[in-house]
Amino acid sequence: MYLRGKDVLGLENMTPEEIKLILETAGPMKDIIRRDIKKVPTLRGKCVVTLFYEPSTRTRSSFELAGKYMGADVVNISTSTSSVVKGESLRDTVLTLQAMGVDIIIVRHPAEGAAQYIARSVKAGVINGGDGTHEHPTQALLDMFTIRQYKGSLAGKKVVIVGDILHSRVARSNIWGLNKFGADVHVVGPGTLLPPDMGKMGVTVHHRMEEALEGADVVNILRIQLERQQKGLFPTSREYARLFGINQQRLSYAKPDVLIMHPGPMNRGLEIAPDVAYDERSAIEEQVTNGVAVRMALLYLLSGGGNIEISN
Amino acid sequence: MTWIEKTQIMDADGIRRALVRIAHEIIEKNKGVKNLALVGIRRRGVPLAQRIAEQIKKIEDVDIPIGILDITLYRDDISTLAHQPVIHRTEIPFPLAGKKIVLVDDVLYTGRTVRAALDALVDMGRPEFIQLAVLVDRGHRELPIRADYVGKNVPTSKREMVSVMVKGIDQDERVFIREFTD
């Protein structure tokens, strides 16, 4: 069992076996996070770089800690303090990193396909930390890991993804991943935030919250991406909260043991009511822990093989 | 180029007797079973640790805690392997601090697995001491490591491989030597 390529760019082109391997490797990794000594020597001598062209707290720090817990050296590059502001191209930046001996590059970029472009340009492994509105595979993997943790399996579970599907790479990666494991995926949100060809992705589209949430096992509430909301796709935040915000009353349509998830950062009072965020059925903090475990698993699985000629 | 079976060195009864003796030796050497715990190295160290614990239970009427150790993350050859080995859970359901640990594995060969296991254990706590029990010691050490309890010493050549089969993981229960032939 192993990953086919040197990169993890998205879930659309991954096989269910590869995804399963990642999720099952993440289990033992999570035990390490809970230990007093949160460090194993597995990736000693490997160098991991996070290259983020968009702001991030949890994805970047989660990758950084994952690398450090595995014993790798981690360098963080945020574009506002790097040569990118001097006009260096993406390709030149990653070639420079490669020349310094980097083994794995984690990239987040506003342009769709940026990670794939980098992966073709370098020998190092590339992990997509989010490319535009395309994919965010590590978030989807940690979401799937979290659902498996609480619900046992993904097959047949009704998973409702709520909110700004149009701009959401989290939604796209989740849909591709969940469908491969036979989950029953539903999406709901304002018509202006649902892509018109959504049905082709193999999900059920709803416009009314109550109808979507009926009997749900999992509700995954997306962040309203205010930075991508310049076009006036919904009239006001208050109106969005009133029609599509998740509150206890709406949640009562779902199963009593519904799992509440949110990729963060939360806009409390907008897409999620504060008492829902802190509900005992909420797995939002657990998702963060699981995110580190899943990323440790990815770094482990990508750091073997391929380097044989170098080490001999 | 295949592995062919050469000689059988232990049958099911031989394995049982060796484990009974090891259980007695563990109790004798430690003057009882106070604070004693067994840790089996995945995979075949785990059923062997369970068998030794069953024997100790028969002799002393005490349940000895058993832990399971996966040493993959501590291997020293991880970056030279073509594909990453699958990682399994390490399950040590008791605090290691102050415990007398007997590490259990099937075959002692280069000593590298034991080295990895020692590193893994001390990362999880500070036991009073760690001893080593193996079913077969086949020599050819590459590190200064020795076993405290040995089921059987078997002189081998490096072209040979010692295969331990135990019920619970394998169909059979026996130990035999295989040789690599071109």
Side-chain angles (χ1 to χ4, degrees):
Chain A
M1 284 294 291
Y2 49 90
L3 301 185
R4 289 172 304 162
K6 69 177 179 70
D7 313 298
V8 173
L9 304 175
L11 295 196
E12 186 182 10
N13 295 318
M14 269 195 160
T15 65
E17 291 73 29
E18 287 178 298
I19 294 173
K20 191 159 172 266
L21 174 66
I22 297 165
L23 299 180
E24 285 179 357
T25 306
M29 297 300 181
K30 194 173 169 184
D31 298 338
I32 297 169
I33 304 171
R34 295 209 192 92
R35 287 175 10 186
D36 289 341
I37 299 177
K38 293 184 276 289
K39 201 167 195 86
V40 291
T42 320
L43 299 189
R44 201 179 40 179
K46 298 280 180 187
C47 181
V48 175
V49 167
T50 64
L51 177 61
F52 275 51
Y53 287 79
E54 283 181 5
S56 163
T57 308
R58 69 206 71 217
T59 305
R60 198 198 54 69
S61 55
S62 166
F63 265 116
E64 178 176 359
L65 287 172
K68 287 181 171 169
Y69 292 163
M70 295 298 287
D73 292 306
V74 184
V75 175
N76 299 304
I77 299 174
S78 63
T79 50
S80 57
T81 57
S82 70
S83 282
V84 173
V85 293
K86 298 181 190 165
E88 187 172 54
S89 76
L90 181 58
R91 185 160 189 273
D92 287 345
T93 302
V94 293
L95 288 177
T96 303
L97 294 173
Q98 171 155 283
M100 292 180 188
V102 166
D103 298 290
I104 295 176
I105 298 171
I106 295 137
V107 65
R108 169 171 287 187
H109 198 281
E112 291 78 10
Q116 188 172 13
Y117 171 75
I118 292 174
R120 280 201 307 262
S121 311
V122 296
K123 286 199 193 91
V126 174
I127 300 177
N128 184 1
D131 60 332
T133 62
H134 175 226
E135 281 233 40
H136 190 350
T138 60
Q139 179 68 44
L141 288 166
L142 79 89
D143 288 344
M144 292 164 76
F145 183 90
T146 306
I147 297 172
R148 272 168 56 125
Q149 176 188 335
Y150 286 94
K151 300 291 173 189
S153 76
L154 297 165
K157 297 291 181 300
K158 180 172 180 180
V159 180
V160 184
I161 304 175
V162 184
D164 181 358
I165 313 291
L166 181 65
H167 296 106
S168 178
R169 52 196 177 205
V170 174
R172 248 169 284 271
S173 289
N174 257 289
I175 292 167
W176 275 312
L178 290 167
N179 272 338
K180 286 179 204 233
F181 286 82
D184 178 21
V185 188
H186 295 246
V187 297
V188 59
T192 49
L193 295 178
L194 289 171
D197 57 348
M198 209 59 217
K200 287 185 197 152
M201 287 189 78
V203 299
T204 311
V205 182
H206 301 271
H207 298 283
R208 286 191 58 242
M209 288 296 284
E210 289 74 14
E211 174 192 304
L213 288 172
E214 186 70 47
D217 293 288
V218 178
V219 52
N220 197 348
I221 306 157
L222 301 175
R223 179 173 69 93
I224 287 298
Q225 306 189 37
L226 295 167
E227 74 273 22
R228 296 189 217 269
Q229 288 297 343
Q230 314 304 334
K231 295 181 198 149
L233 293 172
F234 55 84
T236 65
S237 296
R238 281 185 62 187
E239 181 175 320
Y240 182 88
R242 193 164 54 79
L243 291 173
F244 294 98
I246 295 283
N247 53 31
Q248 292 292 356
Q249 188 269 328
R250 293 216 161 100
L251 219 47
S252 67
Y253 287 87
K255 284 195 181 152
D257 64 344
V258 65
L259 188 67
I260 303 161
M261 308 209 303
H262 189 299
M266 288 186 275
N267 298 302
R268 279 189 292 124
L270 179 52
E271 73 264 7
I272 183 166
D275 63 332
V276 172
Y278 301 113
D279 192 283
E280 60 181 10
R281 295 166 295 176
S282 159
I284 297 172
E285 275 184 48
E286 192 71 10
Q287 283 176 275
V288 178
T289 309
N290 291 345
V292 179
V294 162
R295 289 170 180 123
M296 288 167 79
L298 282 177
L299 292 176
Y300 169 73
L301 292 169
L302 286 186
S303 66
N307 297 334
I308 298 170
E309 66 278 8
I310 295 165
S311 63
N312 285 345
Chain B
M1 296 202 295
T2 42
W3 290 98
I4 55 153
E5 182 170 342
K6 213 172 144 191
T7 3
Q8 175 157 316
I9 45 183
M10 284 170 119
D11 58 9
D13 279 334
I15 292 174
R16 182 179 51 78
R17 287 183 199 112
L19 295 177
V20 170
R21 178 172 51 75
I22 288 174
H24 278 284
E25 285 176 0
I26 289 172
I27 297 163
E28 188 184 9
K29 183 162 179 170
N30 297 305
K31 299 181 179 67
V33 291
K34 196 163 177 282
N35 285 331
L36 194 72
L38 303 179
V39 173
I41 300 177
R42 275 194 200 275
R43 289 176 63 204
R44 288 178 179 75
V46 178
L48 294 176
Q50 283 159 351
R51 307 274 182 87
I52 295 173
E54 281 163 22
Q55 292 302 331
I56 292 177
K57 165 90 176 163
K58 276 187 198 165
I59 302 160
E60 295 283 306
D61 198 27
V62 177
D63 283 306
I64 303 295
I66 302 176
I68 296 173
L69 190 62
D70 184 283
I71 56 110
T72 314
L73 293 168
Y74 290 83
R75 284 173 64 154
D76 58 5
D77 56 354
I78 209 103
S79 61
T80 64
L81 301 171
H83 294 296
Q84 299 291 65
V86 173
I87 296 179
H88 296 279
R89 262 209 157 80
T90 287
E91 296 163 44
I92 299 193
F94 48 85
L96 287 170
K99 279 275 186 324
K100 301 172 176 175
I101 301 294
V102 179
L103 203 54
V104 183
D105 203 2
D106 54 352
V107 179
L108 179 58
Y109 179 29
T110 61
R112 288 176 193 266
T113 299
V114 176
R115 196 283 308 162
L118 292 173
D119 279 355
L121 279 180
V122 297
D123 269 6
M124 280 178 277
R126 188 175 187 278
E128 187 181 332
F129 57 69
I130 302 173
Q131 297 171 340
L132 176 63
V134 295
L135 186 62
V136 175
D137 182 349
R138 60 167 293 193
H140 303 289
R141 218 76 78 235
E142 292 167 7
L143 295 169
I145 282 171
R146 56 149 186 82
D148 299 273
Y149 314 101
V150 179
K152 195 177 180 78
N153 282 295
V154 181
T156 57
S157 90
K158 284 192 171 186
R159 289 176 59 85
E160 294 169 333
M161 187 164 110
V162 175
S163 292
V164 172
M165 307 188 95
V166 278
K167 289 262 168 64
I169 291 179
D170 310 291
Q171 295 284 319
D172 268 354
E173 174 121 341
R174 62 200 189 96
V175 182
F176 58 98
I177 294 181
R178 288 191 288 178
E179 191 170 28
F180 193 66
T181 57
D182 334 84

